[in-house]
Structure formats: structure tokens, C-alpha cells
């Protein structure tokens, strides 16, 4: 996979792209990263990338020309048509499902804006996706692009030490992930559940599934809107609800 980021602050990505899983993915040649300053593509002597909004109003708006020109150059270099992602608080709320979708692409281009926003022609005629990582506003799109890139890269085959790790993540199954424990089995009187040291993997799998269901019911019941429950799962939730109300 190839990931290009168009930003006015490429230095922000140096640590992210050269650390942890991102670095491992690069070393394994699973992904290549590039942060491009789109100011370099701005017309004129002073390389101005923003201007006042037509009709008045607060703030400055990013001009279309630098972004269009930068994307056109990157597309000419591309072997396949890239997904062009606008990081924007008005965009589609980001989910694990979207991460899995993007992980199937060969080339992603992120547009990271600042100031009041983008010229609307960027939104209408240039990008393929608009993504928001949450219902809040950041100073720019860079942090959001880092979040999306990290969540996508870790899904690429061979990036994690165990490919099953990504499959078992919270949200991948539609539910939150079950609790985890490691050694020692007894830490300051806090013991690991007996089932996990039993060696019975079928029972362990059942326990984990039940704990995943319970954690989702307790913390994110809204996820059930998109996760059809079996009769057994419904009965478990009914029993927990009954205990809660008594």
C-alpha cells in the first residue's frame, strides 16, 4: 500500500511514520508513506494557499488550486486510481468497517486542511471520501489522518505479529473485545478467572464470547443496532438486565 498525505505541516508525521507498527510495516515493505507540503504547489511568488471567503465571514478558506494540482501530480505517479480522503468534521464518521474497506486499497491520499475549511469545489470534484474521526473539531486534519492511517495499516496482512489479532479487535466482530489477562495468575490478590487457566479452549472461547457480549451491553449497547443477536445472546442479556433491576 502507498499512503500520501497532503498537509501544510509534514513534520508532524515524522514520528508517527517512523515508529511502532508504522515503522514495522515500512520495514516489511507492506506500506510506503510520504508527507507532501501542498504549499509547494501553490501559484504565485508567495505560495498563498488560503483566501477570504466569498460573501464574508470569519476565518480563511483553503484555495482549490494547490490541492487540485498536488493531487493531479500524485495521480500521474500512481499505478492505480487512489482513494482521495478529505479529513473533515462534516465527513462520514470513521468506523472499523471503513478501516477494513480502505485496507483493501493500494493507494490512499489524505487531504489535511487548516483554517476555516476547504473551497467547496475540493469537496465536490476532487475527493472520493470524506472522513471524520468524531463529533469534535481539531485544529487541522493531520491528527485525524494519523488515526485513520494507523487503523488501516495494522490490518494489512503480515503487519501484526499475529494476523488474528486484528480480527479479534473491538468492533471487528461488531462487538467490543473481551477482557485480557496475563501472568501472574494472582497479582496482589487479584486473580485471573479460573476458566482461562483451565486449558479447555472450547469453554474459553465461549467465556470470551459471553464477556464480549456483556461488555458491549454495558458500555456500547448502540452497537446491537447493527449486530443481530442470537436467541441465546438475547437470553443472556435478559438475565443481566434482570439482575441489574433487582
Amino acid at each position: 500500500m502507498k499512503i500520501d498525505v497532503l498537509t501544510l505541516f509534514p513534520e508532524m508525521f515524522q514520528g508517527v511514520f517512523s515508529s511502532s507498527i508504522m515503522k514495522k510495516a515500512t520495514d516489511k515493505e507492506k506500506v510506503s508513506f510520504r508527507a507532501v507540503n501542498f504549499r509547494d504547489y501553490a501559484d504565485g511568488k508567495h505560495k498563498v494557499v488560503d483566501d477570504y471567503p466569498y460573501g464574508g465571514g470569519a476565518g480563511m478558506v483553503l484555495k482549490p488550486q494547490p490541492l487540485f494540482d498536488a493531487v493531479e501530480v500524485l495521480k500521474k505517479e500512481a499505478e492505480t486510481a487512489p482513494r482521495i480522503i478529505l479529513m473533515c468534521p462534516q465527513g462520514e464518521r470513521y468506523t472499523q468497517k471503513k478501516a477494513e474497506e480502505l485496507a483493501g486499497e493500494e493507494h490512499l491520499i489524505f487531504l489535511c486542511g487548516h483554517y476555516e475549511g476547504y473551497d467547496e469545489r475540493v469537496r465536490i470534484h476532487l475527493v472520493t471520501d470524506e472522513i471524520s474521526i468524531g463529533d469534535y473539531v481539531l485544529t487541522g486534519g493531520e491528527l485525524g489522518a494519523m488515526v485513520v492511517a494507523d487503523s488501516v495499516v495494522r490490518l494489512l496482512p503480515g503487519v501484526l505479529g499475529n494476523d488474528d489479532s486484528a480480527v479479534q479487535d473491538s468492533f471487528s466482530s461488531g462487538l467490543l473485545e473481551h477482557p485480557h489477562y496475563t501472568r501472574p495468575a494472582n497479582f496482589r490478590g487479584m486473580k485471573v478467572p479460573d476458566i482461562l487457566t483451565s486449558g479447555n479452549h472450547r469453554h474459553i472461547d465461549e467465556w470470551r464470547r459471553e464477556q464480549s457480549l456483556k461488555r458491549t451491553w454495558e458500555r456500547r449497547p448502540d452497537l446491537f443496532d447493527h449486530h443481530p443477536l442470537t436467541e441465546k445472546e438475547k437470553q443472556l442479556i435478559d438475565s443481566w438486565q434482570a439482575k441489574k433491576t433487582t
Side-chain angles (χ1 to χ4, degrees):
M1 173 180 281
K2 184 176 182 180
I3 295 179
D4 289 316
V5 181
L6 293 178
T7 171
L8 295 174
F9 303 94
E11 66 276 7
M12 290 180 66
F13 292 86
Q14 292 174 3
V16 175
F17 287 165
S18 59
S19 304
S20 188
I21 293 298
M22 302 290 235
K23 184 178 187 301
K24 290 181 180 179
T26 303
D27 292 344
K28 292 180 179 181
E29 299 183 346
K30 302 296 183 180
V31 66
S32 65
F33 298 107
R34 179 169 51 174
V36 178
N37 192 333
F38 63 83
R39 189 182 298 278
D40 295 338
Y41 293 86
D43 290 338
K45 177 181 178 181
H46 299 292
K47 299 292 184 180
V48 176
V49 298
D50 62 323
D51 208 336
Y52 295 104
Y54 278 119
M60 303 290 281
V61 176
L62 285 172
K63 299 166 66 175
Q65 178 272 316
L67 289 168
F68 270 81
D69 283 8
V71 168
E72 286 167 3
V73 169
L74 295 179
K75 289 175 71 174
K76 287 179 181 178
E77 300 174 354
E79 297 179 2
T80 58
R83 292 279 283 270
I84 303 169
I85 301 167
L86 188 74
M87 301 306 303
C88 173
Q90 299 178 26
E92 167 190 357
R93 183 182 289 189
Y94 193 55
T95 64
Q96 185 68 17
K97 182 178 180 181
K98 188 70 172 184
E100 293 166 358
E101 176 189 330
L102 294 177
E105 298 291 333
E106 295 185 23
H107 188 185
L108 303 178
I109 298 176
F110 290 93
L111 308 188
C112 303
H114 267 68
Y115 312 116
E116 185 66 20
Y118 308 90
D119 184 291
E120 189 68 11
R121 288 163 290 190
V122 171
R123 190 189 311 276
I124 296 173
H125 299 290
L126 186 61
V127 305
T128 60
D129 302 81
E130 295 182 50
I131 289 178
S132 167
I133 62 169
D135 294 342
Y136 48 88
V137 179
L138 299 170
T139 303
E142 285 79 11
L143 294 175
M146 294 175 196
V147 168
V148 175
D150 180 276
S151 64
V152 169
V153 169
R154 67 190 307 278
L155 294 176
L156 300 179
V159 169
L160 297 180
N162 183 343
D163 286 340
D164 288 340
S165 296
V167 176
Q168 296 171 1
D169 284 339
S170 290
F171 305 110
S172 292
S173 66
L175 302 177
L176 299 184
E177 195 173 9
H178 58 77
H180 292 279
Y181 294 88
T182 187
R183 294 179 178 85
N186 187 333
F187 175 68
R188 299 181 180 179
M190 297 175 283
K191 297 181 180 180
V192 171
D194 291 337
I195 184 67
L196 296 178
T197 59
S198 69
N200 189 322
H201 293 290
R202 182 174 67 82
H203 288 171
I204 290 173
D205 288 343
E206 291 174 353
W207 179 87
R208 285 175 169 168
R209 175 68 180 179
E210 181 176 320
Q211 290 298 309
S212 176
L213 183 73
K214 187 175 184 180
R215 181 158 288 189
T216 304
W217 172 71
E218 291 173 335
R219 304 182 182 189
R220 289 293 305 278
D222 59 291
L223 294 178
F224 292 142
D225 293 341
H226 306 285
H227 178 81
L229 297 172
T230 65
E231 285 302 316
K232 182 178 180 180
E233 289 173 335
K234 291 177 182 178
Q235 291 172 6
L236 280 170
I237 291 174
D238 288 342
S239 68
W240 297 329
Q241 185 64 45
K243 289 179 181 178
K244 184 178 180 180
T245 55
T246 56

